[in-house]
């Protein structure tokens, strides 16, 4: 293309731009470009704002994380310190418990030594009551002493009205009367009554357990002379054990135990009894110029902690029931006793007989059934 051709083209373009249509087209293009720039600017602004919000959120999270880490570090430090204190406290508690265990072991050893010493002094703690046969011996009572505990059978039996207790010399006779059960008794004058024979069962002790302890102010004196009067015996014992040269002290009281023949002496002080029981044997002058060796042992205080009972049948005693008041008491008792003495009625030799008529209350006393010479052979 020649120079003139190029010039002619430029002139043609410039003319087209300088025309109104060209200017409008250019303006339109500029508007479009301007709108695109505005849109891009808005997009960039939004992107910038989003980035700033995101950065702000990250900064806030960083602050929170830093605070949380600091709190965790502080909490961990406090926990570690607390655990150390707990461990130290556990060590202190362990040391204290070891000391207490050692002290308890020492006290236990002392208690065992004391218990062993007391067991050497007495063997009384638990007693199995031996089984003993009891029998009605014809004795009655008023019940005033029924609460006394004794190792000897002494049982109070309240009799019902219109009943009788009969004790045979032979146990086989009693068992025969029981086996027949009903007995028709002829009282004469066309009068007869029918009685029922029943087994007598009594509640007796079988096992007694006691908690005992040695009394620090009392002693039990045994092996005493038999021919010395009770008042003189007590006076001589008080005089002897009141003297300090004999290991004694001031005597508060002295009592005779009539069931065993022993004497209980009570001192005013607590430290006298042990020295006397440790020596055990003492020579006491009951008669001028003559001394007698008595035995001094600890006096035991005790409480019954267990008392077991069982039913025991009376072998030779039978209970007769259903006795009407048809005759005078003595007359009717004699007729009944005569009836049961006859072998034809299944009876035998009667040891004792007690009739309790209607309207009366009687307490029968049962005691140990000691075998006779014939029974023991």
């Amino acid at each position: 293309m020649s120079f003139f051709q190029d010039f002619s083209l430029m002139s043609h373009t410039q003319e087209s731009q300088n025309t109104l249509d060209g200017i409008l087209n250019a303006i339109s293009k500029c508007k479009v470009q301007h709108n695109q720039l505005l849109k891009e600017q808005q997009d960039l602004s939004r992107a910038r704002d989003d980035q700033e919000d995101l950065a702000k959120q990250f900064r806030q999270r960083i602050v929170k994380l830093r605070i949380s880490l600091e709190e965790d570090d502080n909490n961990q430090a406090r926990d570690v310190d607390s655990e150390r204190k707990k461990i130290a406290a556990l060590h202190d508690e362990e040391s204290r418990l070891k000391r207490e265990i050692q002290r308890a072991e020492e006290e236990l050893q002392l208690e065992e030594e004391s218990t062993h010493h007391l067991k050497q002094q007495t063997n009384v703690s638990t007693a199995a009551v031996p089984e003993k046969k009891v029998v009605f011996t014809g004795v009655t009572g008023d019940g005033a002493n029924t609460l006394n505990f004794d190792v000897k059978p002494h049982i109070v039996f309240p009799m019902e009205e219109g009943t009788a207790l009969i004790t045979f010399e032979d146990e086989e006779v009693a068992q025969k009367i029981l086996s027949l059960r009903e007995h028709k008794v002829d009282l004469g004058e066309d009068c007869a009554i029918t009685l029922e024979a029943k087994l007598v069962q009594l509640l007796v002790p079988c096992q007694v357990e006691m908690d005992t302890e040695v009394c620090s102010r009392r002693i039990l004196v045994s092996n005493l002379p038999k021919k010395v009067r009770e008042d003189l015996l007590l006076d001589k014992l008080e005089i002897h054990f009141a003297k300090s040269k004999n290991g004694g002290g001031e005597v508060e009281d002295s009592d005779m135990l009539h069931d065993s023949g022993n004497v209980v002496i009570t001192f005013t002080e607590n430290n006298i009894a042990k020295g006397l029981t440790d020596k055990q044997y003492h020579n006491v002058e009951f008669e001028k110029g003559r001394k007698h060796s008595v035995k001094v042992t600890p006096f035991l205080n005790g409480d019954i902690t267990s008392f077991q009972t069982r039913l025991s049948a009376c072998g030779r005693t039978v209970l007769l029931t259903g006795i009407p008041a048809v005759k005078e008491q003595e007359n009717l008792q004699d007729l009944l006793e005569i009836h049961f003495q006859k072998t034809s009625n299944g009876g035998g030799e009667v040891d004792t007989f007690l009739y309790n008529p209607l309207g009366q209350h009687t307490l029968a006393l049962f005691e140990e059934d000691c075998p006779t010479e014939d029974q023991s052979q």
Side-chain angles (χ1 to χ4, degrees), residues 316-351:
R316 297 194 297 123
T317 302
V318 176
L319 176 65
L320 303 175
T321 62
I323 305 176
V326 293
K327 289 182 177 292
E328 294 294 331
Q329 179 178 351
E330 292 185 3
N331 188 17
L332 181 56
Q333 178 167 325
D334 290 341
L335 291 173
L336 291 174
E337 186 172 352
I338 292 171
H339 174 86
F340 286 101
Q341 280 182 337
K342 295 179 179 179
T343 55
S344 59
N345 297 325
E349 291 295 327
V350 175
D351 194 351

Side-chain angles (χ1 to χ4, degrees), residues 128-356:
V129 180
E131 182 175 356
K132 294 184 178 181
K133 294 183 179 181
V134 294
V135 67
F136 173 62
T137 59
V139 182
T140 60
D142 57 5
N145 298 320
T146 58
L147 296 180
N148 291 343
F149 175 75
D150 196 348
V151 294
K152 296 180 180 180
H154 187 79
I155 303 168
V156 176
F157 181 80
M159 296 182 65
E160 296 181 359
E161 299 177 12
T163 62
L165 288 172
I166 180 170
T167 300
F168 296 96
E169 292 184 358
D170 191 353
E171 184 175 342
E172 293 182 359
V173 176
Q175 298 305 314
K176 185 176 181 180
I177 294 294
L178 287 171
S179 65
L180 295 174
R181 190 174 179 181
E182 291 188 354
H183 298 266
K184 185 176 181 180
V185 181
D186 186 7
L187 302 179
E189 300 178 358
D190 297 329
C191 179
I193 59 176
T194 301
L195 311 180
E196 183 178 357
K198 294 183 178 180
L199 178 68
V200 178
Q201 287 187 311
L202 302 175
L203 202 61
V204 296
C206 63
Q207 182 78 14
V208 178
E209 294 183 5
M210 300 179 64
D211 281 343
T212 60
E213 62 178 0
V214 175
C215 182
S216 60
R217 295 177 52 235
R218 292 183 176 88
I219 59 173
L220 183 67
V221 185
S222 59
N223 193 33
L224 297 170
K226 305 296 183 182
K227 297 182 180 181
V228 180
R229 297 193 322 271
E230 180 179 334
D231 56 345
L232 179 61
L233 183 75
L234 294 178
D235 289 341
K236 293 296 185 181
L237 288 175
E238 287 188 16
I239 293 172
H240 178 85
F241 289 109
K243 295 179 180 179
S244 57
K245 68 177 183 179
N246 297 327
E250 183 179 351
V251 176
E252 180 179 306
D253 194 15
S254 60
D255 294 307
M256 169 68 76
L257 304 179
H258 295 95
D259 58 343
S260 62
N262 300 330
V263 172
V264 177
I265 296 179
T266 304
F267 298 95
T268 58
E269 299 179 5
N270 291 328
N271 57 350
I272 303 298
K274 187 177 185 305
L276 295 173
T277 56
D278 287 343
K279 184 179 178 181
Q280 197 170 22
Y281 289 98
H282 300 260
N283 293 320
V284 181
E285 186 176 357
F286 292 100
E287 297 177 359
K288 189 174 181 179
R290 298 182 62 181
K291 291 186 177 182
H292 182 84
S293 178
V294 299
K295 184 178 181 181
V296 177
T297 53
F299 182 82
L300 299 178
N301 293 327
D303 295 321
I304 295 177
T305 58
S306 176
F307 187 82
Q308 299 178 16
T309 59
R310 60 173 178 80
L311 286 174
S312 177
C314 298
R316 297 194 297 123
T317 302
V318 176
L319 176 65
L320 303 175
T321 62
I323 305 176
V326 293
K327 289 182 177 292
E328 294 294 331
Q329 179 178 351
E330 292 185 3
N331 188 17
L332 181 56
Q333 178 167 325
D334 290 341
L335 291 173
L336 291 174
E337 186 172 352
I338 292 171
H339 174 86
F340 286 101
Q341 280 182 337
K342 295 179 179 179
T343 55
S344 59
N345 297 325
E349 291 295 327
V350 175
D351 194 351
T352 56
F353 191 97
L354 178 64
Y355 166 51
N356 183 44

Side-chain angles (χ1 to χ4, degrees), residues 8-144:
S8 62
L9 289 171
M10 289 179 57
S11 296
H12 180 70
T13 304
Q14 289 178 353
E15 284 181 2
S16 63
Q17 291 180 348
N18 290 330
T19 64
L20 182 59
D21 292 335
I23 292 172
L24 292 173
N25 290 331
I27 291 171
S28 297
K29 292 180 180 179
C30 289
K31 285 183 178 180
V32 171
Q33 292 177 356
H34 180 263
N35 291 333
Q36 290 179 349
L37 291 174
L38 288 176
K39 185 179 180 182
E40 291 177 358
Q41 184 181 7
Q42 291 174 355
D43 293 339
L44 290 173
S45 296
R46 284 195 296 271
R48 182 195 62 196
D49 293 340
D50 292 341
Q51 293 297 324
E52 287 179 354
D53 290 340
L54 188 61
K56 184 178 179 180
Q57 292 177 6
F58 274 110
R59 284 194 296 272
Q60 291 176 350
R61 289 181 61 186
I62 290 172
V63 172
K64 290 181 179 179
L65 288 173
R66 184 179 293 113
I67 294 173
S68 178
L69 288 173
E70 290 177 355
E71 291 179 351
D72 289 342
D73 290 341
N74 293 333
N75 290 334
Q76 185 178 6
R78 284 195 297 269
D79 291 342
V80 170
D81 184 59
S82 176
E83 292 299 325
R84 287 176 179 172
K85 290 180 180 179
K86 288 181 180 179
I87 293 174
L90 289 175
H91 284 309
D92 294 340
E93 181 71 10
E94 182 182 8
S95 300
R96 185 185 66 81
L97 290 175
K98 285 182 178 179
R99 291 193 298 270
E100 288 187 359
I101 291 173
Q102 184 178 1
R103 184 167 59 253
E105 289 177 348
E106 293 174 354
E107 293 177 356
L108 180 62
Q109 184 176 0
L110 292 176
E111 288 293 333
E112 289 178 349
E113 293 176 356
S114 176
T115 302
H116 179 69
H117 178 68
L118 292 176
K119 284 183 177 180
Q120 288 180 337
Q121 296 183 29
T122 176
N123 292 323
V124 177
S125 69
T126 303
V129 180
E131 182 175 356
K132 294 184 178 181
K133 294 183 179 181
V134 294
V135 67
F136 173 62
T137 59
V139 182
T140 60
D142 57 5

